[in-house]
Amino acid sequence: MNVISRRHFLKLAGASTALVAAVPTMLRAQSATPKGRVVVVGGGFGGATVAKYLRLWGGNSAAVTLVDANPNHVSCILSNMVLDGSLNLSQITFNYAKLQQKYGITFVQGKATGIDSANRVLKLSSGKTLPYEHLVLAPGIDFKPIDGLDFSKIPHAWQAGPQTTLLKQQLQQLVAGTVTGDFVITVPPSPFRCPIGPYERACLVADYLKRNGKSGSKVVVLDANASIVAEVVTFTKAFNQTFAGIIDYRPSEQVLSVDSNRRIITTNKGEFPAGVLNVIPAHQAGAIVRNAGLVDLTAANWGAPVNPLNYESTLLPNSGIHIIGDSQGTAMSKGGHVANGEAKVCADAILRALDGGAPDPVPTVGAACFNPVTANTGSWLSTLFVYDPATKTMVKAVPPGTVEAPVANKDNFEKIFEWSANLFADTFA
Ligand SMILES: Cc1cc2nc3c(=O)[nH]c(=O)nc-3n(C[C@H](O)[C@H](O)[C@H](O)COP(=O)(O)OP(=O)(O)OC[C@H]3O[C@@H](n4cnc5c(N)ncnc54)[C@H](O)[C@@H]3O)c2cc1C
């Protein structure tokens, strides 16, 4: 990222905070004492937003406790730009101080390990227990195991933080032009977190190789899916034209095993030696969701089935347990912007329930993002999901359904920082 853009980003982050503070805070009749306790597990894009909006919209109606295993949340959004040195991790790391100070949310750093759903109590690894009337689970994703895969040697960098740093170091150390000079990345089977993310990463790495005299190396994309999953126009053009001869895209590659010491991956189609091996395994719902029996392990969709009117589990109805973000199992795409939208629908439904009311019968959730393709050009994608009463599911609005940028350009690149600064502020500030 050039200096002007970075300054622009930081300025926008500040401006967006002011924008959010201007949102009317009291949309409901206020209650002097809480009508219910809401415990939220996971302080990422889903969990931090639902905690904030419960208080922003509900005031004292709900006593809100937010639980996260870590003191800070490192955003996956923009983390691909850390790999090529455009951004630092500190620029996409958020703490929970503002949520505590501005909205009166109680933050507990700890790992949630179990749920006593009969008595409505959340258990933490510390031995502490948190009683609730409503429990919102937003733990993001876990990965399905792959034979031989050791993340301390073969980073996924699909949960941002130390894994991002490790992958960046490996990329910097890559020696171009050798037999094992390729960057090999896998794309997991759909559905997966951020459908554009692996393709965006492939492009940014290819661009980095081009700009850093490592043009003897290729980026090999081993896609478990039959074709590019998202922003098909943009990434087809990027792979075939912008990075022709650098990106080698291979569809329908099923990962069988990994030799983590030798950096060799075996798929249904053969063996691929790598200089840097970036395996992003198939996903599953977070452990706290799976272990509570909120997922149908035999279903093709690994997310927890929920009622999209309030995100309550349909496997444990009337339990007060809601699942949002990547771990929920609607057909909506798995993104931070979508998680933020689901969180608002969920917060509104919980506040209505505390007042004895029914949820909004026709919620909508938007999914939009601006993403880099090179170090100075970007693209965008936008989808509107609406509730369909006939099927009781979220479906794409027709029109507009999904729309993507006709062309990657500099203007879209600059908007990445405007869009993300607004989302970051709306979630964490
Ligand atoms: C490289 C990359 C780029 C991306 N780019 C975009 C983009 O441009 N636009 C977009 O919309 N989305 C993007 N995404 C997707 C987005 O990051 C995720 O969809 C989003 O973070 C999901 O939000 P979530 O709340 O479900 O989970 P997360 O944001 O991952 O938050 C989960 C939180 O739960 C905590 N946690 C988990 N289990 C426990 C437990 N048992 N106890 C306590 N805490 C727990 C974790 O510490 C974590 O803080 C990208 C993802 C990647 C990997």
Side-chain angles (χ1 to χ4, degrees):
M1 177 195 225
N2 63 47
V3 175
I4 293 168
S5 297
R6 188 181 294 118
R7 283 207 195 109
H8 191 51
F9 174 52
L10 294 173
K11 203 171 124 204
L12 283 163
S16 302
T17 307
L19 191 88
V20 170
V23 169
T25 52
M26 303 301 164
L27 302 183
R28 291 180 167 74
Q30 292 299 295
S31 109
T33 53
K35 296 174 185 167
R37 294 158 296 185
V38 184
V39 175
V40 180
V41 175
F45 285 93
T49 306
V50 77
K52 168 178 164 176
Y53 274 84
L54 279 163
R55 297 288 297 181
L56 181 65
W57 286 341
N60 281 332
S61 296
V64 177
T65 302
L66 175 64
V67 180
D68 199 287
N70 300 305
N72 302 309
H73 182 77
V74 185
S75 165
C76 284
I77 297 174
L78 301 192
S79 67
N80 281 338
M81 298 179 80
V82 174
L83 298 177
D84 70 1
S86 299
L87 290 175
N88 298 316
L89 271 186
S90 61
Q91 291 173 289
I92 53 168
T93 300
F94 303 92
N95 65 34
Y96 302 107
K98 286 186 181 152
L99 295 187
Q100 294 174 81
Q101 289 156 12
K102 283 172 69 178
Y103 307 104
I105 291 161
T106 303
F107 175 69
V108 175
Q109 189 193 340
K111 186 170 181 186
T113 48
I115 302 164
D116 176 351
S117 57
N119 293 304
R120 299 202 175 198
V121 172
L122 177 75
K123 301 174 193 168
L124 304 187
S125 59
S126 61
K128 192 177 164 81
T129 54
L130 295 170
Y132 61 81
E133 275 72 47
H134 291 269
L135 174 65
V136 184
L137 302 175
I141 54 162
D142 279 353
F143 301 107
K144 291 186 177 159
I146 293 177
D147 190 28
L149 179 58
D150 176 352
F151 289 135
S152 72
K153 295 173 181 162
I154 308 293
H156 53 74
W158 218 238
Q159 287 156 329
Q163 283 276 301
T164 316
T165 304
L166 180 58
L167 187 60
K168 178 184 176 179
Q169 285 165 352
Q170 293 187 355
L171 178 60
Q172 285 172 335
Q173 288 159 6
L174 188 125
V175 181
T178 61
V179 178
T180 54
D182 291 342
F183 183 101
V184 178
I185 179 172
T186 68
V187 183
S190 280
F192 59 89
R193 159 175 282 189
C194 193
I196 61 157
Y199 310 110
E200 171 190 291
R201 181 175 290 175
C203 288
L204 287 181
V205 170
D207 196 54
Y208 170 88
L209 296 175
K210 236 171 136 176
R211 289 183 291 112
N212 287 274
K214 300 192 182 198
S215 48
S217 295
K218 276 188 302 185
V219 177
V220 181
V221 183
L222 303 177
D223 195 337
N225 304 287
S227 58
I228 294 171
V229 169
E231 282 188 30
V232 178
V233 173
T234 296
F235 290 117
T236 302
K237 188 172 173 197
F239 291 1
N240 295 339
Q241 295 179 26
T242 316
F243 301 114
I246 303 178
I247 292 185
D248 175 5
Y249 176 74
R250 295 168 181 248
S252 305
E253 295 273 358
Q254 315 301 329
V255 178
L256 301 179
S257 64
V258 172
D259 183 334
S260 294
N261 290 323
R262 294 165 61 217
R263 292 185 183 169
I264 296 174
I265 185 165
T266 305
T267 72
N268 56 327
K269 297 192 181 167
E271 271 192 358
F272 298 86
V276 177
L277 183 49
N278 177 204
V279 177
I280 306 166
H283 297 5
Q284 53 185 342
I288 188 73
V289 172
R290 296 196 317 277
N291 296 342
L294 301 170
V295 172
D296 176 359
L297 295 171
T298 61
N301 186 339
W302 48 265
V306 294
N307 173 359
L309 294 180
N310 59 7
Y311 291 88
E312 195 173 36
S313 165
T314 52
L315 294 183
L316 271 186
N318 305 315
S319 62
I321 300 179
H322 311 251
I323 306 108
I324 59 172
D326 289 352
S327 270
Q328 58 74 37
T330 67
M332 288 187 285
S333 47
K334 296 190 184 298
H337 195 272
V338 185
N340 171 277
E342 292 163 8
K344 291 173 187 169
V345 174
C346 182
D348 178 59
I350 289 174
L351 291 170
R352 289 176 187 233
L354 291 174
D355 282 339
D360 175 358
V362 280
T364 59
V365 174
C369 87
F370 287 86
N371 58 280
V373 177
T374 69
N376 57 18
T377 63
S379 177
W380 55 261
L381 182 75
S382 168
T383 308
L384 181 66
F385 295 98
V386 297
Y387 183 72
D388 174 22
T391 58
K392 298 186 173 159
T393 59
M394 297 300 286
V395 296
K396 286 182 186 177
V398 184
T402 299
V403 188
E404 71 168 273
V407 64
N409 61 29
K410 286 190 178 177
D411 187 43
N412 293 334
F413 185 83
E414 277 303 308
K415 289 209 170 75
I416 293 169
F417 306 104
E418 197 173 326
W419 165 81
S420 58
N422 275 308
L423 179 60
F424 294 158
D426 194 40
T427 303
F428 297 107

